[in-house]
């Protein structure tokens, strides 16, 4: 089936690490952006990950409703229907969830998946992210352990973050300081607290200078070698090569060689949001400028219904975002690797 089962998702992540490629994880906020992501993966012949943030899920529920769980459920159910028409496999994921939103987002969604699994169904989502970067490491890992236990029972992969991603996303601000670089000590503490898969599968968002937002090339100072040091130190202690399945956040403005170096150290998932937002919006802006007299009823005129019909510019927006997803698949070397 196009939406990955827990077993297929595990296979996807294992194949990515073994073959040194990563899946683009595309943030979406609407049915149109979801369709664009699916189209891009299909055109690249790549499996992938499609995700919603807390703000994205709230938006999906409707501006007058603003309920994250409602929006996330609607997204997941809609994705199951439309994804059937695409020849690739995708996993559904929820992005950054800080401590103050756990009870309104991740925990209720885990409960829904536990109910589904108890009925013999697959979980609603294939993975959820707990963002504990704003709390002390001990508290971060204590909450991560609790969530990991629940996620494992729901057959879901947890994503945990240690270190801080700079910049801002969905109102969460990461300070630009030394916490942008996860330490070997942080990684060793994580392995001790959460295990290396025996207590439940998880991905680790370890930071190496990552910053959310949009920047010109060269602005973001990445040190991918941080990931190498983490993998080697934890691997040496536990007798495992590349013990962590790593996640790359805040990659806009990163050089391609830095991205691919990070992948060589065990990155299997890279979040992409800012670039696909622009790729979606740019064709809409072009349409509005070129059809100004048609999309507006200027000076009492009637305008041109064909140009203000949302489908006219929506199709261009979908195509623009899909093309950026294809580019991401090529950069992350997932193009042409689909399982199905």
């Amino acid at each position: 089936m196009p939406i990955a089962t827990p077993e297929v998702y595990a296979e996807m992540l294992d194949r990515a690490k073994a073959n040194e490629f990563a899946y683009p994880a595309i943030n979406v906020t609407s049915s149109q952006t979801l369709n664009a992501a699916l189209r891009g993966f299909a055109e690249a012949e790549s499996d992938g990950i499609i995700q919603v943030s807390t703000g994205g899920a709230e938006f999906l529920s409707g501006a007058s409703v603003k309920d994250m769980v409602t929006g996330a459920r609607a997204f997941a159910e809609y994705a199951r229907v439309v994804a059937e028409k695409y020849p690739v496999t995708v996993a559904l994921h929820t992005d950054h969830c800080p401590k103050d939103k756990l009870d309104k987002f991740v925990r209720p969604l885990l409960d829904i998946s536990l109910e589904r699994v108890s009925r013999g169904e697959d979980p609603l989502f294939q993975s959820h992210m707990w963002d504990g970067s704003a709390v002390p490491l001990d508290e971060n890992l204590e909450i991560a352990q609790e969530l990991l236990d629940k996620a494992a029972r729901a057959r879901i992969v947890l994503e945990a973050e240690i270190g801080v991603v700079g910049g801002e996303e969905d109102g969460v601000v990461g300070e630009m300081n030394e916490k942008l670089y996860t330490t070997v000590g942080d990684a060793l503490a994580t392995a001790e607290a959460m295990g290396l898969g025996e207590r439940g599968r998880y991905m680790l968002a370890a930071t190496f200078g990552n910053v959310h937002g949009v920047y010109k090339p060269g602005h973001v100072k990445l040190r991918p070698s941080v990931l190498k040091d983490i993998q080697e130190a934890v691997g040496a202690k536990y007798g495992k090569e590349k013990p962590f399945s790593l996640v790359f956040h805040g990659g806009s403005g990163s050089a391609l060689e830095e991205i691919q170096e990070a992948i060589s150290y065990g990155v299997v998932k890279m979040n992409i949001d800012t670039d696909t937002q622009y790729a979606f919006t740019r064709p809409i802006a072009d349409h509005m400028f070129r059809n100004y007299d048609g999309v507006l009823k200027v000076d009492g005129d009637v305008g041109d219904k064909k140009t203000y019909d949302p489908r006219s510019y929506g199709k261009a927006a979908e195509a623009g975002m899909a093309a950026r997803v294809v580019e991401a698949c090529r950069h992350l070397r997932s193009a042409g690797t689909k399982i199905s």
Side-chain angles (χ1 to χ4, degrees):
M1 62 171 56
I3 300 297
T5 64
E7 294 79 12
V8 169
Y9 192 31
E11 181 185 351
M12 286 170 58
L13 299 177
D14 289 342
R15 290 175 74 241
K17 187 191 285 190
N19 294 286
E20 294 194 355
F21 67 86
Y23 293 108
I26 307 299
N27 280 71
V28 301
T29 55
S30 65
S31 60
Q32 272 195 302
T33 50
L34 168 62
N35 287 332
L38 289 167
R39 175 177 170 178
F41 285 131
E43 290 178 358
E45 297 186 342
S46 170
D47 301 318
I49 299 168
I50 300 178
Q51 60 190 25
V52 289
S53 64
T54 54
E58 183 179 88
F59 184 80
L60 277 157
S61 75
S64 63
V65 176
K66 293 186 176 181
D67 183 80
M68 293 180 284
V69 172
T70 297
R73 290 182 69 182
F75 154 73
E77 296 294 357
Y78 182 83
R80 276 177 161 74
V81 176
V82 296
E84 291 178 357
K85 301 297 182 181
Y86 292 86
V88 290
T89 303
V90 293
L92 307 180
H93 176 81
T94 61
D95 200 10
H96 292 270
C97 182
K99 180 182 176 181
D100 64 340
K101 294 182 179 177
L102 282 173
D103 288 336
K104 296 180 286 186
F105 193 50
V106 165
R107 287 191 176 113
L109 291 173
L110 283 170
D111 287 337
I112 290 170
S113 286
L114 281 168
E115 290 178 12
R116 290 171 62 97
V117 169
S118 72
R119 298 193 299 264
E121 302 173 13
D122 287 333
L124 186 65
F125 283 83
Q126 285 64 61
S127 50
H128 292 297
M129 182 186 179
W130 149 237
D131 182 354
S133 60
V135 301
L137 182 63
D138 288 349
E139 183 181 3
N140 180 350
L141 295 177
E142 182 179 349
I143 293 172
Q145 289 178 78
E146 171 240 318
L147 294 173
L148 181 63
D149 175 67
K150 198 169 186 178
R153 288 187 283 116
R155 305 176 70 206
I156 286 171
V157 177
L158 183 70
E159 180 183 331
E161 181 170 71
I162 55 172
V164 174
V165 177
E168 180 178 349
E169 182 175 60
D170 270 358
V172 178
V173 179
E175 295 182 9
M176 308 285 279
N177 54 36
E178 72 282 353
K179 291 183 180 179
L180 293 178
Y181 303 94
T182 300
T183 68
V184 166
D186 295 338
L188 288 167
T190 300
E192 182 176 353
M194 299 180 67
L196 292 173
E198 67 277 7
R199 303 176 197 175
R201 182 156 192 161
Y202 67 94
M203 296 179 283
L204 185 65
T207 57
F208 52 104
N210 322 54
V211 181
H212 285 134
V214 58
Y215 305 94
K216 293 180 180 180
H219 177 85
V220 178
K221 305 301 182 184
L222 294 179
R223 284 174 19 208
S225 61
V226 167
L227 303 181
K228 180 175 182 287
D229 295 341
I230 286 170
Q231 294 281 42
E232 288 181 348
V234 175
K237 180 174 180 178
Y238 291 93
K240 284 190 172 185
E241 185 179 1
K242 295 181 185 176
F244 293 121
S245 293
L246 299 171
V247 180
F248 187 159
H249 287 255
S252 296
S254 303
L256 182 57
E257 56 268 25
E258 292 174 325
I259 292 172
Q260 294 184 344
E261 181 184 355
I263 291 171
S264 74
Y265 301 142
V267 167
V268 298
K269 171 181 180 279
M270 178 173 169
N271 288 13
I272 299 174
D273 187 14
T274 302
D275 291 350
T276 46
Q277 285 179 343
Y278 183 77
F280 184 85
T281 301
R282 179 64 181 81
I284 297 176
D286 179 66
H287 177 91
M288 298 302 172
F289 283 124
R290 287 190 297 104
N291 297 284
Y292 179 84
D293 292 338
V295 296
L296 298 178
K297 297 181 179 182
V298 179
D299 296 331
D301 205 344
V302 297
D304 180 1
K305 182 180 184 302
K306 290 183 179 179
T307 60
Y308 60 74
D309 183 336
R311 290 170 294 184
S312 62
Y313 52 85
K315 291 175 183 177
E318 179 183 315
M321 180 171 165
R324 183 61 183 86
V325 173
V326 171
E327 181 183 338
C329 292
R330 290 172 178 161
H331 286 173
L332 303 187
R333 301 175 178 151
S334 70
T337 68
K338 65 176 184 175
I339 291 176
S340 58

